[in-house]
Amino acid sequence: MPPDIAPLDEIADTLAAVVALRRRADELEESAVERAMRAGWSWSQVGEALGVTRQAVHKSHASRLADAGVTLRRRGV
């Protein structure tokens, strides 16, 4: 096999690693966002730290955080 073509099992392993890393990154984000919101951070602060808008953070996390009993700040509060 030419050196620039990876075996299929190596490619499959690499893709599986990408999936595992994405899942772990999502778990870390969920945990960090929850900690920040419990500490009184605003949606804007969390969004800025993540490099996204406050709306994006709210859309991704508000429902889960509310279900977890996190008191969520409202805009301007």
Side-chain angles (χ1 to χ4, degrees):
M1 181 172 286
D4 60 335
I5 298 176
L8 290 179
D9 58 338
E10 181 182 322
I11 294 170
D13 288 346
T14 302
L15 292 170
V18 169
V19 171
L21 287 169
R22 283 185 181 148
R23 287 184 182 141
R24 184 62 182 135
D26 288 345
E27 292 169 359
L28 289 170
E29 180 178 323
E30 287 177 2
S31 176
V33 170
E34 184 170 337
R35 288 181 59 209
M37 296 305 288
R38 287 186 187 277
W41 283 40
S42 69
W43 292 111
S44 294
Q45 289 171 307
V46 174
E48 184 176 339
L50 291 174
V52 299
T53 66
R54 66 177 175 77
Q55 295 92 335
V57 176
H58 186 275
K59 182 178 180 179
S60 296
H61 298 281
S63 178
R64 181 185 56 77
L65 292 172
D67 290 345
V70 177
T71 302
L72 302 175
R73 290 179 61 172
R74 290 201 252 173
R75 195 169 180 198
V77 176

